[in-house]
Amino acid sequence: MTVYIMLFLLFSFVGWFIDTAYSSIIAKRFIPSGYYKNLPFCPIYGFGGIVIYQSFSELREYNSIIIILLTAFLIILLEYIGGVFCEKVLDEKLWDYSDMKFNLHGHISLLHSFYWFVLITILYYLTSPYFNSINSFLKEIRTRSIPYDLYISLFFVVTVFILTTKTKDERLKNLRKKISIKSKILSI
């Protein structure tokens, strides 16, 4: 379990960094990404990191093209499910591709799916020569940390829950303000 928490945290941060850099470059100003205000952490990327790790691990006997295509499909599916979850459960739309061509309900788009494919391809070719070493390192951590897994997992779940509930009202207020501004502009 500790390995998955480490992967989750690592990919949540790396994903936040890449997404923030991308959004900031497009907007030509700093745009922090993520669900949590002032915290460099995006949970969807953490879950994606776990999916990528498991996919690379479980499929390593297959041809690299199969591994990359299947992993990209799983990540795109995760993005879609995450978008639906955020919209239906959290009453928030954290990303919206509705204005892009070839999108599905605004949760995924052809362009961003292509980005995922490219990122997964790069990640695969960067990590595949070292995957056995990475896997051995993570297994070593797993065998040493079993007694602490329950406590770490419990702490992690409680912390994420507190952060989610603490910041939701502020995020919803900001979202309502943005929608109000957009509707005023459209009515002019």
Side-chain angles (χ1 to χ4, degrees), residues 4-94:
Y4 293 109
I5 292 172
M6 286 175 44
L7 288 171
F8 182 85
L9 293 173
L10 173 67
F11 277 88
S12 292
F13 173 74
V14 170
W16 173 88
F17 181 80
I18 292 170
D19 199 7
T20 297
Y22 174 79
S23 299
S24 298
I25 289 168
I26 297 296
K28 296 182 179 152
R29 64 183 176 89
F30 182 69
I31 305 282
S33 184
Y35 187 70
Y36 303 108
K37 185 177 178 162
N38 301 322
L39 188 65
F41 181 80
C42 289
I44 189 76
Y45 298 122
F47 290 117
I50 292 170
V51 168
I52 290 168
Y53 171 75
Q54 278 302 118
S55 180
F56 285 2
S57 184
E58 297 296 323
L59 301 172
R60 68 178 171 256
E61 302 300 323
Y62 289 88
N63 179 304
S64 61
I65 294 170
I66 301 284
I67 295 170
I68 291 167
L69 287 174
L70 188 54
T71 303
F73 171 78
L74 291 172
I75 292 300
I76 294 163
L77 181 63
L78 174 67
E79 183 178 29
Y80 183 79
I81 291 169
V84 170
F85 174 82
C86 290
E87 190 172 14
K88 302 294 183 197
V89 176
L90 302 176
D91 283 336
E92 295 184 65
K93 196 155 190 168
L94 298 177

Side-chain angles (χ1 to χ4, degrees), residues 71-119:
T71 303
F73 171 78
L74 291 172
I75 292 300
I76 294 163
L77 181 63
L78 174 67
E79 183 178 29
Y80 183 79
I81 291 169
V84 170
F85 174 82
C86 290
E87 190 172 14
K88 302 294 183 197
V89 176
L90 302 176
D91 283 336
E92 295 184 65
K93 196 155 190 168
L94 298 177
W95 60 89
D96 189 1
Y97 304 136
S98 297
D99 60 340
M100 301 183 80
K101 278 187 170 184
F102 310 112
N103 76 81
L104 184 59
H105 307 124
H107 302 301
I108 57 174
S109 73
L110 185 61
L111 177 63
H112 287 87
S113 296
F114 174 73
Y115 290 161
W116 282 122
F117 174 75
V118 169
L119 281 171

